[in-house]
Amino acid sequence: MIGDVRTTEEEQRYRTVLMEHIAAELEEKSWARCPAYSPEERTRLTEVARALCVRLDRPVRVDVQDAYSVLFSFERGASEAGQLDVGRLSL
């Protein structure tokens, strides 16, 4: 394997671990910060956020904090479960 190349199965396991970690953080303190060093990583985290909306049955917001991290939080005032508010997310 070269660099960050993953098989489909490895990628799915990685996303599952990310989702479990972020979900636990959201449930505990209503926010979670994750590193995102590349556009690909921000795209991956956005897709994880979409899955979290469904899993948690409530909207999750994703905001770019800086060049190296994104912040997940519960969207306040949003009425539709499964909604993703990408905020200031830049891909």
Side-chain angles (χ1 to χ4, degrees):
M1 239 190 304
I2 299 172
D4 193 35
V5 177
R6 293 183 174 105
T7 65
T8 303
E9 184 178 315
E10 290 169 330
E11 180 67 20
Q12 186 58 43
R13 283 194 308 251
Y14 180 66
R15 287 180 186 218
T16 299
V17 168
L18 276 174
M19 189 165 59
E20 289 172 1
H21 172 73
I22 295 166
E25 292 283 310
L26 284 169
E27 291 293 337
E28 181 181 323
K29 56 189 179 186
S30 297
W31 63 273
R33 186 172 287 117
C34 289
Y37 299 107
S38 68
E40 294 80 15
E41 189 65 24
R42 288 189 290 277
T43 298
R44 176 185 287 133
L45 290 170
T46 300
E47 292 168 2
V48 167
R50 291 181 206 285
L52 278 169
C53 290
V54 174
R55 177 180 173 170
L56 301 174
D57 196 31
R58 62 189 290 196
V60 173
R61 181 179 178 94
V62 180
D63 289 302
V64 173
Q65 292 295 287
D66 54 36
Y68 306 109
S69 65
V70 297
L71 179 71
F72 293 81
S73 60
F74 287 124
E75 180 62 24
R76 295 185 181 144
S79 59
E80 187 176 324
Q83 172 185 349
L84 174 70
D85 182 347
V86 294
R88 297 166 297 189
L89 187 63
S90 304
L91 302 178

